[in-house]
Amino acid sequence: MQNSSTSKIGTSSVRKYLSFFLCSILVIGACSKFRVDDYNPYLYGRVKLGKDLKELQVSIVNRVPTNVPNQVAVASGVIYVPDFEQSLIKAFNSDGDLKFVIGNSKEKQDKVKNFNVKLGRIGLVTVSDNDDIYVQSRVSKEDAKSDKVAENIYAKKSGEFRTDAEEAIPSVILKINDSGKLSQTIYADGTGGSIPFGYVERMEAGNNDLLFVFHRHNGAMRLSVFDELGKLKQKVEGIDFKDSLNQGEAYTWYVDSFFSHPDGEYILGSFSFYETKSGRFKNRKILKYELKDKRIIPIKEIQDPSETLYWVLNNDNFFIWETEVEEGNSIRLQVHDEDGNHVNNIRLNYPPPRGLWRETWMDTNDEIYSMKIRSGYLEIHKWK
């Protein structure tokens, strides 16, 4: 009997430790699945602020540089910086040396190429893998009515602030080839069209010479996809998702954003739901819209209003931007696979002071960039 009892105790202990071991393995596996990869910025290039053609010419108000872009385009080792003061696109190398200028420059300098293209008032700028430059060209305020766009505080990213609402000034998109010549003028209805863009929130050059423009059209946000000839290939609006979003009269939904895969095969749409009576945030839903067969697939539901869809990567993963309020100097990019499973995290650690950092953006090579102004320079930082 004594041996039997000892045997039972031993068996029980083995089971206890085996269970503990298996639980530990599961916990370790779960932790590794949701690990955090810390990314830090390194200086990719910088451009001097000043009054010379070879510098970025900006306005100084109360000793603070104003009229400075929030982001720039980087392609083939060249930094394309819009100079709003002079209505020029200035192309610098990473050392801050001016390589060439696009636009009607009144000032000429030796050893600096100037491609004379009438740009108008410059807005957004993006560059394709083939070094084609897309420039949003806007008409003057005197020639068009402005339209205030309602602000959605739940769609704002960490560090972003505005003192005024955005103004929707009609514009077109100019495509300038790698020889510095204007090759296309793209309207909201494509090349050869007549409908200008209104409010444009994002403009991205995709793979295969595609262009994605997230803009307002007839009061609704739309993602328009243009092909290499500037023709309107696809357009997606919130109404295309309505059958998958209907939750009765108790809740009202709004479009947060549309992001296309760089190849243009599908679009991820983010939608926020609010209680109709109280206006209180309920949740956010991410749906996949396959452009070929127009099939809609639910991907993700988010309960936290501080988490927003941020980018679609080439490998079909996507990022959700999460503001880390407690940290203050960092944000987290949640990595999700194409089925919406949370598989990893990336933390971007911003060296203080956080107020110096401007916008953080990505390109179609899935590279992450940030910008800040320091000691009279516009600095472009890359994350890894």
Side-chain angles (χ1 to χ4, degrees), residues 328-329 350-358 371-374:
N329 287 324
Y350 295 89
R354 182 68 171 90
L356 293 180
W357 293 90
R358 299 172 72 84
M371 182 188 296
K372 70 176 178 179
I373 297 176
R374 185 177 62 173

Side-chain angles (χ1 to χ4, degrees), residues 231-293:
K231 295 182 179 179
L232 182 60
K233 184 178 181 181
Q234 300 275 0
K235 58 181 185 293
V236 176
E237 296 181 350
I239 194 172
D240 297 314
F241 294 80
K242 66 176 184 178
D243 293 337
S244 301
L245 297 173
N246 186 20
Q247 291 194 0
E249 297 181 357
Y251 298 98
T252 304
W253 57 266
Y254 299 94
V255 174
D256 292 324
S257 59
F258 295 128
F259 285 91
S260 175
H261 183 272
D263 289 337
E265 296 177 354
Y266 63 85
I267 286 171
L268 289 188
S270 175
F271 305 86
S272 289
F273 288 80
Y274 299 86
E275 294 179 359
T276 303
K277 291 185 177 180
S278 66
R280 184 177 302 171
F281 177 85
K282 177 178 181 280
N283 59 25
R284 178 169 285 127
K285 293 185 178 181
I286 298 175
L287 290 85
K288 180 179 182 180
Y289 184 87
E290 296 181 344
L291 294 176
K292 187 175 181 180
D293 55 13

Side-chain angles (χ1 to χ4, degrees), residues 17-246:
Y17 286 112
L18 181 61
S19 299
F20 177 78
F21 176 75
L22 292 174
C23 289
S24 299
I25 293 295
L26 291 174
V27 169
I28 292 172
C31 290
S32 63
K33 181 179 180 181
F34 295 104
R35 70 183 186 276
V36 176
D37 293 331
D38 283 302
Y39 279 28
N40 294 291
Y42 72 91
L43 183 62
Y44 179 83
R46 63 179 191 165
V47 176
K48 184 175 179 55
L49 306 180
K51 297 181 179 180
D52 190 79
L53 176 67
K54 294 184 178 181
E55 301 168 332
L56 178 59
Q57 294 161 292
V58 299
S59 296
I60 306 296
V61 179
N62 294 328
R63 293 184 293 182
V64 176
T66 61
N67 214 11
V68 180
N70 282 325
Q71 66 182 60
V72 299
V74 179
S76 302
V78 178
I79 305 169
Y80 296 84
V81 184
D83 190 322
F84 299 129
E85 288 289 309
Q86 310 299 319
S87 289
L88 302 173
I89 302 295
K90 295 182 176 180
F92 298 88
N93 62 19
S94 59
D95 293 326
D97 298 324
L98 183 62
K99 294 173 64 70
F100 59 88
V101 175
I102 297 176
N104 187 10
S105 175
K106 298 178 182 178
E107 183 182 355
K108 308 294 181 183
Q109 287 198 11
D110 295 336
K111 299 182 180 179
V112 177
K113 289 183 179 179
N114 187 97
F115 300 102
N116 193 2
V117 179
K118 187 177 180 180
L119 297 180
R121 294 183 64 227
I122 299 173
L124 302 175
V125 177
T126 186
V127 181
S128 72
D129 290 337
N130 295 325
D131 295 328
D132 292 323
I133 306 166
Y134 295 92
V135 182
Q136 180 192 7
S137 178
R138 299 179 290 196
V139 300
S140 65
K141 290 183 179 180
E142 292 77 15
D143 297 333
K145 296 180 180 179
S146 63
D147 178 26
K148 298 289 184 181
V149 177
E151 181 181 45
N152 182 359
I153 61 172
Y154 296 110
K156 298 181 73 172
K157 302 180 181 64
S158 175
E160 179 183 353
F161 66 94
R162 298 190 185 104
T163 55
D164 296 314
E166 295 285 350
E167 292 185 352
I169 302 175
S171 59
V172 296
I173 295 172
L174 306 178
K175 182 179 180 180
I176 302 166
N177 62 26
D178 57 357
S179 299
K181 295 182 179 180
L182 178 63
S183 60
Q184 295 170 11
T185 299
I186 304 173
Y187 291 82
D189 49 345
T191 52
S194 59
I195 303 174
F197 293 93
Y199 168 68
V200 178
E201 184 166 313
R202 292 194 329 271
M203 183 174 70
E204 294 133 7
N207 298 333
N208 306 315
D209 293 317
L210 296 177
L211 177 68
F212 308 114
V213 184
F214 184 51
H215 63 105
R216 187 176 296 275
H217 183 79
N218 290 335
M221 293 305 294
R222 167 189 289 185
L223 182 67
S224 296
V225 184
F226 300 91
D227 64 16
E228 68 277 8
L229 300 176
K231 295 182 179 179
L232 182 60
K233 184 178 181 181
Q234 300 275 0
K235 58 181 185 293
V236 176
E237 296 181 350
I239 194 172
D240 297 314
F241 294 80
K242 66 176 184 178
D243 293 337
S244 301
L245 297 173
N246 186 20

